[in-house]
Amino acid sequence: MEYSERMEYYRQNRAQWHSRAVLANEALDSLEVPVGCVIVEDGKVIASGRNQTNETRNATRHAEMEAIDTLLEQWREQRLSKSQVAEKFSKCRLYVTCEPCIMCAAALSFIGIREVFYGCANDKFGGCGSILSLNSSSSEPQTSGGAPKGKGFKCTGGIMATEAVSLFRSFYEQGNPNAPKPHRPLAQQATQ
Amino acid sequence: MEEMWQIVHIPDNPPIPPDQQPTVDAIASLIDPLFANTLVRRLNQIAPLENLRHVKRVHKKFVQGVHYTGKTQLSVILCLASQNGNQLDSIQNDVQELMNSYQLSPFITKVGLSLFILTRSASMLHHQKKSGKNNASYGQHLIIPQLSITGFSQEDSQSVFSFMKYAIQLAKSGDNLEVNAAVIVDPSVKQVIAKACDQTCSCYNPKNEITLETSCSEKLETSVCHGISGGALSCKEHSNGFPAKSEQLYTGVSCLCPWGWAEQESDMSLRYCHPLRHASIVAIESSAARDRLLFPSSGKTQDNKSFEMDHMQSCSAASPAKRQKTNSTNIQVNYGEDNLDLNGEGCSRSLSARPYLCTGFDMYLVWEPCIMCAMALVHQRIRRIFFAYPNPKAGALGSVHRLQGQRSLNHHYAVFRVLVGTDI
Ligand SMILES: [Zn+2]
Ligand SMILES: [Zn+2]
């Protein structure tokens, strides 16, 4: 993406990024690894989520999964059919502070999301280019016999990455900087 | 029929790609299946493959030809080719005699030194060219990955088999396996921690049953029949591939068709669907709910911790020593359990010790999980995964991806395939 184009995205989505950052700060307060995301349809935020792995003791409760569940719940109440749900997802864009992990990238591909924007890369678990590239449909197996083919999605990283990184930094540095760092537990949590 | 059950380790590293594999030339020929046994017995006497004991001498291939609808072709390795000169002329006399009496047409193939690979070397196919047959079907390499049989004790194997039977039983609707089933087990006490089936298309069932006392020793009556078909990971000829029906019919298994949820036929258009509620995800959710239920005190600790953290941050005047103490105490309370089981020693765990996520637990799946589920199981710290049937189009533990070999991840589980016996 061109720089000017990226700046345009930045301007357009400033509000979304802001709410996303708030979400991440909220996660920070509850000692979750600070990852937040919003899902946008036609320029409007329709769902948000933050990492809740500690609180739920479920390490799969990443921001993306929370936001997707919120949406599906809304659409269930609106009694949308499966094809309407699929149609809706195909119009949604997701903004997230950190590159979706392999699990979330797969989930986003399965639901057929339109586009994903993320902040910093996730060089241990990233599923949108860092470790695997689940966003590009070419990474899917060759299909034959009319089986459903994998869906890719457009994915752009490095958006407001500095802000995302500083959020992580404040998470890892909060408390007494001289105290022994709980290296392993935090590393284990940082699976987002 | 119990002896038909087997546990096969799925290695972290993929089989070596054909083009990088050390090979030797061998002389092979197509044979009439009627003579296969006789020929192999004779060849093993006169031209044993001394240093290639892992190599299967006969290879079976289903050929879709131009003029025939399809048939099974057998080829046999006659002997190794000499390293120099005209390889076909160097065939030893007794092999030559055998070839003459069975009217065999030799060709050169490559035999992998670490695994079995049989390809036709195009340049040497003069027999084939002369006969003018379409040999497009020989273009691809045929590889059988090396699968190691694992060192499970008799008792452990039986336990693995009964949990797998339990999972298959869960996945069955009538006689069909139309969903995936996931069973999380604490192997140290042989106890089911959580179980679930796919919930991607059925009526929404948000509250998953939490099982605390299910024992694996319950008698399970099963009657699913499995036919013979080559699964992506199978190396044996017997019934370890797909269940009897063609894989195309298993579109209801979420991990097999993770993108197919929207297309699935549903008689009720308003029926609730959640495309991500694959069996593994639901089972993890259920085990987390169990965790919160059994160890609610940690939840309080969590609150205290937040409070103390807030407190700590607002009272920056507190002495460094005190702050340090508070901080490390918090860490111990919240993460101390993590140390319990890192070495896979689950036996000493008592109910009073809260496991960290699913550390030390095993997952039984009827079908090889998709990449979303496989990564979810990494996140939740599952120790071992057992699955019965491969998932050639979307499987993440050997079929399409091989997540267990992804070194950058912070947790690694061992993966096993359970070859299901004929009693299922
Ligand atoms: Zn994630
Ligand atoms: Zn799955």
Side-chain angles (χ1 to χ4, degrees):
Chain A
M1 183 184 295
E2 294 290 320
Y3 180 72
S4 56
E5 227 180 322
R6 186 177 292 186
M7 286 313 290
E8 184 52 34
Y9 270 115
Y10 170 76
R11 270 190 291 276
Q12 275 177 9
N13 300 305
R14 192 196 294 260
Q16 287 91 315
W17 282 95
H18 178 71
S19 57
R20 210 198 46 197
V22 169
L23 281 167
N25 280 321
E26 208 178 292
L28 196 61
D29 289 342
S30 58
L31 281 190
E32 301 280 1
V33 174
V35 180
C37 74
V38 295
I39 295 178
V40 174
E41 185 194 18
D42 298 328
K44 217 182 84 190
V45 174
I46 55 170
S48 62
R50 65 173 176 86
N51 181 43
Q52 297 197 47
T53 52
N54 280 351
E55 201 179 314
T56 56
R57 291 183 219 170
N58 181 339
T60 70
R61 298 314 296 167
H62 290 184
E64 299 92 324
M65 304 298 257
E66 292 283 336
I68 291 168
D69 280 4
T70 307
L71 267 192
L72 283 165
E73 187 57 36
Q74 280 175 29
W75 293 341
R76 185 167 76 101
E77 277 161 18
Q78 294 167 25
R79 302 181 68 76
L80 297 192
S81 72
K82 264 193 251 187
S83 53
Q84 286 171 312
V85 167
E87 165 95 21
K88 279 271 203 184
F89 274 132
S90 71
K91 291 177 184 162
C92 286
R93 293 183 164 90
L94 177 118
Y95 298 83
V96 56
T97 48
C98 181
E99 178 187 353
C101 75
I102 290 167
M103 172 188 74
C104 293
L108 291 164
S109 156
F110 295 167
I111 63 170
I113 200 134
R114 182 190 189 92
E115 198 168 1
V116 170
F117 299 91
Y118 64 83
C120 54
N122 183 341
D123 57 5
K124 277 193 175 138
F125 315 101
C128 295
S130 291
I131 305 299
L132 296 178
S133 298
L134 300 167
N135 55 306
S136 75
S137 48
S138 60
S139 73
E140 298 311 326
Q142 291 231 309
T143 56
S144 58
K149 227 184 143 175
K151 288 178 202 152
F153 51 86
K154 212 177 152 209
C155 197
T156 311
I159 294 190
M160 290 176 70
T162 9
E163 191 193 78
V165 168
S166 73
L167 208 54
F168 280 112
R169 193 163 293 146
S170 53
F171 173 71
Y172 290 111
E173 286 174 359
Q174 77 180 351
N176 184 355
N178 297 322
K181 290 268 190 304
H183 285 295
R184 198 182 50 210
L186 286 178
Q188 280 166 342
Q189 285 177 19
T191 56
Q192 323 311 322
Chain B
M1 300 296 266
E2 285 284 311
E3 64 273 9
M4 296 289 286
W5 286 77
Q6 266 185 58
I7 304 172
V8 174
H9 180 240
I10 310 293
D12 293 355
N13 298 314
I16 304 162
D19 51 341
Q20 290 167 24
Q21 201 182 9
T23 59
V24 289
D25 284 350
I27 295 163
S29 169
L30 294 181
I31 55 167
D32 186 329
L34 281 177
F35 306 130
N37 283 339
T38 321
L39 279 169
V40 168
R41 213 174 302 127
R42 183 88 185 101
L43 283 166
N44 282 342
Q45 287 165 4
I46 60 176
L49 300 175
E50 276 303 341
N51 299 315
L52 298 166
R53 293 191 188 281
H54 61 283
V55 170
K56 254 169 54 173
R57 197 147 199 161
V58 177
H59 196 87
K60 189 151 74 171
K61 180 163 164 52
F62 188 75
V63 179
Q64 220 130 25
V66 179
H67 301 297
Y68 16 83
T69 50
K71 63 170 188 175
T72 301
Q73 262 185 352
L74 283 191
S75 55
V76 66
I77 295 171
L78 299 170
C79 57
L80 293 184
S82 73
Q83 296 303 308
N84 36 42
N86 187 332
Q87 294 175 311
L88 289 179
D89 290 345
S90 65
I91 300 171
Q92 64 189 82
N93 286 338
D94 36 7
V95 176
Q96 194 77 57
E97 280 165 28
L98 198 70
M99 284 164 55
N100 293 341
S101 55
Y102 285 90
Q103 295 180 325
L104 304 179
S105 308
F107 60 88
I108 307 292
T109 83
K110 303 254 179 231
V111 174
L113 290 177
S114 56
L115 31 99
F116 180 36
I117 159 172
L118 179 59
T119 63
R120 288 213 180 189
S121 147
S123 58
M124 302 299 281
L125 281 176
H126 52 277
H127 290 274
Q128 206 63 32
K129 276 180 198 150
K130 260 187 267 171
S131 64
K133 278 182 200 156
N134 180 313
N135 64 337
S137 55
Y138 293 102
Q140 72 203 71
H141 298 262
L142 305 167
I143 301 163
I144 293 162
Q146 259 182 327
L147 299 178
S148 57
I149 303 298
T150 46
F152 282 84
S153 73
Q154 186 70 19
E155 193 200 335
D156 288 348
S157 300
Q158 286 313 313
S159 166
V160 166
F161 299 152
S162 35
F163 281 119
M164 186 54 82
K165 280 182 200 174
Y166 181 64
I168 290 171
Q169 177 81 7
L170 271 182
K172 262 174 54 180
S173 99
D175 281 344
N176 300 324
L177 288 169
E178 276 166 12
V179 291
N180 205 348
V183 180
I184 298 175
V185 169
D186 181 347
S188 65
V189 289
K190 294 188 168 43
Q191 187 187 47
V192 173
I193 298 294
K195 60 188 164 75
C197 289
D198 288 335
Q199 292 181 0
T200 41
C201 278
S202 55
C203 296
Y204 186 49
N205 177 22
K207 291 284 163 269
N208 214 55
E209 187 191 341
I210 298 162
T211 314
L212 298 180
E213 295 299 333
T214 312
S215 157
C216 73
S217 58
E218 27 179 309
K219 280 271 178 205
L220 298 167
E221 297 301 323
T222 51
S223 61
V224 180
C225 257
H226 300 291
I228 297 170
S229 120
L233 295 164
S234 68
C235 67
K236 295 268 163 65
E237 310 283 0
H238 65 76
S239 61
N240 53 10
F242 283 102
K245 295 199 300 178
S246 143
E247 65 181 280
Q248 296 296 336
L249 298 176
Y250 292 98
T251 50
V253 179
S254 309
C255 287
L256 294 187
C257 300
W259 297 277
W261 58 274
E263 284 106 61
Q264 272 152 30
E265 292 298 322
S266 167
D267 39 356
M268 297 162 63
S269 60
L270 286 177
R271 217 173 182 193
Y272 182 72
C273 79
H274 189 312
L276 304 180
R277 289 184 71 81
H278 295 199
S280 301
I281 302 288
V282 183
I284 287 171
E285 184 184 86
S286 177
S287 77
R290 173 188 182 274
D291 190 357
R292 297 194 302 268
L293 195 77
L294 281 184
F295 306 98
S297 58
S298 308
K300 278 181 211 150
T301 313
Q302 188 101 358
D303 294 342
N304 290 343
K305 181 185 64 179
S306 299
F307 172 75
E308 282 171 22
M309 236 8 155
D310 289 347
H311 183 68
M312 198 174 69
Q313 281 168 332
S314 59
C315 301
S316 53
S319 76
K322 192 188 167 197
R323 283 165 62 188
Q324 179 164 342
K325 192 177 173 221
T326 315
N327 203 4
S328 54
T329 307
N330 284 339
I331 288 154
Q332 188 143 35
V333 167
N334 290 287
Y335 307 113
E337 294 91 336
D338 188 23
N339 298 328
L340 268 185
D341 221 354
L342 281 183
N343 302 320
E345 303 294 330
C347 305
S348 59
R349 193 192 306 114
S350 69
L351 206 75
S352 60
R354 173 160 81 88
Y356 175 65
L357 302 174
C358 285
T359 304
F361 294 168
D362 295 337
M363 175 61 117
Y364 289 82
L365 293 167
V366 175
W367 301 91
E368 180 189 359
C370 70
I371 186 76
M372 175 184 74
C373 293
M375 190 62 199
L377 295 166
V378 171
H379 286 322
Q380 200 68 13
R381 305 295 195 279
I382 284 284
R383 185 176 72 156
R384 297 183 299 188
I385 296 178
F386 299 89
F387 69 84
Y389 303 110
N391 175 356
K393 286 178 185 145
L397 301 180
S399 293
V400 177
H401 303 284
R402 193 174 290 262
L403 202 64
Q404 67 269 40
Q406 196 58 252
R407 297 333 288 177
S408 75
L409 304 180
N410 60 342
H411 172 75
H412 300 94
Y413 41 58
V415 179
F416 301 91
R417 177 155 172 218
V418 175
L419 303 179
V420 173
T422 47
D423 55 328
I424 273 274

